[in-house]
Amino acid sequence: MNNAPVFLNFLGMVNALGPDTAAIASRQEAGDVSGMTPDQGRMFGRVAIADGALAAPPARLAAWDCRNNRLALAALAPILPQIHVALERHGKQRVGLVFGTSTSGIAAGEKAVNHFGKHGALPAGYDYRPQEIGSGAGFLADCLGLAGPAYTISTACTSSAKVFAAARRLLRLGVCDAVVVGGADSLCDMTLGGFGVLELTRATLTNPMSRNRNGINIGEGAAFFLMTREPAR
């Protein structure tokens, strides 16, 4: 069991290149950089979908509404049919979720703090819970109807690698028969400011994978796979 192979069968994704894998592949091949936005001396990648166009959580989970969770839901949408098949086949207790993030709903918290500074009170309807770094996994598991292990990994840049190792471990140990695995990060002042203090961000495209590279361009996005022990049928 410990050496059994695992497979990444399906992929849903949203980022500054587009709202789905087809658009992302097409624009990447064309060298489309229209999703890169200059602002306050830095260039960053923003998902070109207004918050109003990103699907909101179910009404019963409205307290967890934030851009990070909406990006996650947008990335999950294309693979929902395959997740439902896994639930029907294995049962909700045997399908887990491992979610990686370094931002959670921090952007909403930043806006709330700014509002408090100006008005002496938090904005109406503000809820702290979406910005708790571990809240995303429980929120997504509830949205998807999963009852298997669900947890968040937040180890900065390594989160995106560790979620796959953790999901594979759940399968190889026989804890789960399928795992929804991926993550989401949304733009926030904490991330932009942090990399800015390190003098890594730039006001222009930084030309990655080149000897002429100059710094980094921060971006936001989300991506999820359904990991199983067998290839897609």
Side-chain angles (χ1 to χ4, degrees), residues 6-218:
V6 297
F7 298 87
L8 298 173
N9 287 324
F10 307 100
L11 170 63
M13 186 188 310
V14 58
N15 59 36
L17 278 169
D20 54 58
T21 54
I24 290 168
S26 175
R27 292 173 187 172
Q28 184 176 26
E29 183 176 356
D32 188 336
V33 295
S34 60
M36 303 304 293
T37 305
D39 179 63
Q40 299 181 15
R42 59 199 176 198
M43 179 78 73
F44 58 83
R46 183 177 178 84
V47 173
I49 304 173
D51 280 343
L54 288 168
R60 61 187 177 84
L61 296 174
W64 276 264
D65 190 10
C66 65
R67 185 172 179 82
N68 207 63
N69 285 339
R70 288 193 179 204
L71 288 172
L73 291 177
L76 281 165
I79 64 172
L80 286 178
Q82 290 82 13
I83 294 173
H84 291 156
V85 168
L87 287 168
E88 292 175 3
R89 181 181 180 188
H90 304 296
K92 61 183 181 179
Q93 291 84 5
R94 299 290 300 174
V95 181
L97 182 142
V98 185
F99 178 60
T101 187
S102 61
T103 63
S104 191
I106 288 173
E110 292 169 345
K111 291 179 181 178
V113 169
N114 289 335
H115 187 280
F116 186 89
K118 293 178 181 178
H119 306 286
L122 294 172
Y126 170 70
D127 195 304
Y128 171 80
R129 288 174 290 178
Q131 76 179 66
E132 292 178 340
I133 204 71
S135 66
F139 162 78
L140 293 174
D142 202 339
C143 285
L144 297 173
L146 312 182
Y151 55 92
T152 299
I153 291 177
S154 183
T155 54
C157 297
T158 62
S159 303
S160 57
K162 289 186 176 180
V163 291
F164 292 99
R168 181 181 64 177
R169 191 175 300 117
L170 290 174
L171 293 174
R172 287 186 169 180
L173 291 175
V175 176
C176 294
D177 294 312
V179 182
V180 179
V181 56
D185 263 356
S186 48
L187 290 167
C188 63
D189 289 338
M190 179 197 73
T191 303
L192 291 170
F195 282 101
V197 168
L198 294 173
E199 300 183 356
L200 295 176
T201 55
R202 295 293 183 270
T204 58
L205 295 175
T206 56
N207 203 14
M209 310 302 291
S210 165
R211 68 176 62 187
N212 301 313
R213 177 172 181 164
N214 182 21
I216 60 174
N217 298 130
I218 299 297

